Amino acid sequence: MVRFTLFCRTRDEDIRMEVANEDRVTEIGCTASDCFGGGLMLRNGYRLLDPGSCVGECVHDGDVIEAIPDPETLFSTFGMRRPWT
């Protein structure tokens, strides 16, 4: 089991979580979507978490996993043109 904090910077809220090492990062993403709304990416420090990875490979006890807005979702939601295209 891995114990960590899931933090949503845009809402300034956090949740303490405990997840099995063999669970996928998508489980954390589903929890983040349920609690903070959709359109989020997860990062641990400077590294974005791959949804298909096992939690035990990329999250350790005491880590703070941030749920940050996914730029692709923001652009499609608001119909904005991407500045790099």
Side-chain angles (χ1 to χ4, degrees):
M1 296 300 270
V2 179
R3 292 183 179 121
F4 60 93
T5 302
L6 177 62
F7 176 67
C8 181
R9 183 165 300 282
T10 56
R11 296 180 71 176
D12 197 31
E13 296 177 3
D14 60 9
I15 300 169
R16 293 283 298 153
M17 293 186 68
E18 184 174 305
V19 179
N21 289 333
E22 60 274 0
D23 285 349
R24 301 284 176 195
V25 173
T26 54
E27 297 294 324
I28 302 171
C30 289
T31 301
S33 293
D34 290 345
C35 295
F36 308 128
L40 299 170
M41 299 182 342
L42 301 175
R43 78 173 182 190
N44 188 1
Y46 292 109
R47 191 172 39 128
L48 291 176
L49 299 182
D50 177 16
S53 296
C54 288
V55 172
E57 297 172 357
C58 53
V59 179
H60 305 293
D61 279 341
D63 283 353
V64 176
I65 305 302
E66 288 187 76
I68 58 174
D70 182 359
E72 288 295 322
T73 305
L74 287 174
F75 286 118
S76 63
T77 301
F78 295 111
M80 298 170 57
R81 187 180 69 76
R82 293 170 182 82
W84 54 86
T85 58

